[in-house]
Amino acid sequence: MDMHEGREGGGATELFGSFFLGGDEFALPASCIREVVNYPARVTALPLSPPYLEGMFTLRGSVIPVVNLGRLFRADAPRAVATDKIAILDFQQVLVGIVFQETGEILRVPASDRSALHYASGDAHAVIAGTILLGGGARLLQILDPHALLHIENVPHVLALQATGARPGTARRHAQGERRRCVSFHAAGATFAFEMLAIQEIIKVPELHSSLLNSALCLGRMHFRGSQVAVVDFGALLQAAEPAAAAKAAKAATLDQRVIVVRLGDTSVGFLVDSIDSIVHFFGDEVLPIPLLSKARAAMFAGCITREGLGDIIYLDHKEILSQTEIVEMRDGHARLYPADAETSAATHQARRRVYITFTVETPFAVEIGQVREIIDFSGAITTPPGMPACMRGMLKLRQQMISIIDLRRLYAMPPLPDASSGKILIVERGDERYGFLVDHVDNIMTISDSQRFAAPQIIRTGTHDDLRSEMDEMLDIGTEAQRQTLSVFQCDHLLEKLGAALPQAA
């Protein structure tokens, strides 16, 4: 290491903030320190990040990456703990958090007490820009150079999103904006989301067939709409597990696991995920940029959406998840090795197709996705004012609007769910009012041909009042001859008309 130390010339005094880490005292120029905060209760892991990145959290409309300075210096240093502090640095107009153990003080240091260190080009120790000697040499502080400390890969992207996003303190005119929807899901210990328009279907894990193209990433292939579709382990893609562990987990699929079929250009790809969480609506200015410290698949991380009760959702750009080479290999390889069933594929596209959410309230139902504004988890924040009809769980405040929560099991005299906290709430919107239907659970998102939709049998439509299916005019017949399923088509308008007399006028 070619390094030499020299006293800074001139008599200029500079302000520094000091802090402690592992018994050493460090200093940063006060001009780059925005503020110091306690370590947040929730830090979201960001996959494909370097080991020294603890994760990220949101602070007043900004996503803050949390850098563990100790692990930056030494890979086996301990992880951050709840008692640590975070210094928020203004780094190239992007905010970054640095973890340390204890705050020091603001120091006004004359040039005579500062020394600059000069390194050979490329030396890793260049993060230490110099030293401060105080108390006649009894106190030594190492000055950190924030620009040598970190490199943020996507500064232009972050600044562009910050420029187009809503300004703090400015009312958002969302009524005039474009409302979008995404499906959130869990994988690799974090919550992600695909925009709804990118998703063809969400299905239970089917039988996966071995493929000559199997790899750590591609688990195999499945039959989908007359074609062979590659299935990618999303956790392995995020390097959350060793390939052998990922393959073993895929073979023993859990009840919550799903395959999300996404259209990438002219190719369909299935992504195996741990569970589907919710449907979330959002506006473009709610997507917060994520400063990234890694190049690995960086383009797939489009931003972060924060929702009360759901935490930070990593919003993905589906077009950037796989490289074009990976997509072409999966598409051309499977098409060449396992030709599509042309007859089945042609028959599938003859009739109009619609997207449905399938769910259960004692028996299976399907609702056209356009009838549902969003899906949320059952919330303990529901309040029950006096005088509510028996079918109502109560009122829930969701983004500044009160929503009437209707318990479909109570309405139709069904036995209650053993654990209501496992339920989901379908939010529907009619005019200025919103209502929530409490259901047992949400199963899948499916694209189904109109040829599989037919009028409900008369015996069901004239059934007892205590049968939710009697309110529905149509049914869907899906599956294969070996495994067939019939679902009632849920009509929100039918149910709201029926409830009109029972519900309070002010919702």
Side-chain angles (χ1 to χ4, degrees), residues 364-404:
F365 291 84
V367 60
E368 286 188 52
I369 200 164
Q371 293 195 38
V372 179
R373 188 178 193 274
E374 61 184 303
I375 299 174
I376 62 174
D377 292 328
F378 179 83
S379 172
I382 295 174
T383 59
T384 309
M388 283 284 180
C391 64
M392 286 190 61
R393 277 275 179 172
M395 309 294 291
L396 174 66
K397 188 174 184 180
L398 183 67
R399 286 182 283 286
Q400 309 306 313
Q401 186 166 359
M402 298 305 296
I403 299 174
S404 303

Side-chain angles (χ1 to χ4, degrees), residues 71 87 104 112 115 125 127 150 197 273 305 327 365 369 382 417 423:
R71 291 177 69 85
S112 59
S115 297
H125 294 276
V127 295
L150 301 170
L197 295 176
V273 303
I305 300 171
I327 294 172
F365 291 84
I369 200 164
I382 295 174
L417 274 177

Side-chain angles (χ1 to χ4, degrees), residues 202-348:
I202 298 176
I203 59 176
K204 292 182 179 179
V205 182
E207 179 184 1
L208 297 185
H209 303 278
S210 182
S211 166
L212 292 177
L213 301 178
N214 276 23
S215 64
L217 198 63
C218 180
L219 294 172
R221 58 191 171 90
M222 67 178 185
H223 299 295
F224 180 76
R225 307 291 176 209
S227 300
Q228 301 293 335
V229 171
V231 177
V232 171
D233 187 318
F234 198 78
L237 181 140
L238 298 174
Q239 300 175 5
E242 294 298 323
K248 183 178 179 181
K251 288 180 181 177
T254 67
L255 293 176
D256 291 334
Q257 282 186 314
R258 293 291 185 271
V259 172
I260 305 177
V261 183
V262 176
R263 192 73 179 170
L264 303 178
D266 59 354
T267 306
S268 294
V269 176
F271 292 98
L272 177 69
V273 303
D274 295 339
S275 64
I276 299 297
D277 295 332
S278 298
I279 292 178
V280 179
H281 87 282
F282 67 101
F283 293 87
D285 63 0
E286 292 183 297
V287 180
L288 306 176
I290 303 174
L292 298 172
L293 282 71
S294 172
K295 291 182 179 179
R297 300 189 189 273
M300 68 185 276
F301 299 106
C304 174
I305 300 171
T306 299
R307 283 288 181 269
E308 186 176 350
L310 297 177
D312 293 334
I313 301 170
I314 300 171
Y315 177 59
L316 301 171
D317 182 345
H318 65 282
K319 299 185 294 297
E320 301 291 346
I321 291 179
L322 298 173
S323 70
Q324 191 59 37
T325 300
E326 290 169 326
I327 294 172
V328 169
E329 284 179 354
M330 290 181 187
R331 179 194 65 203
D332 293 353
H334 283 105
R336 185 172 60 252
L337 292 168
Y338 311 100
D341 183 341
E343 183 179 339
T344 302
S345 182
T348 298

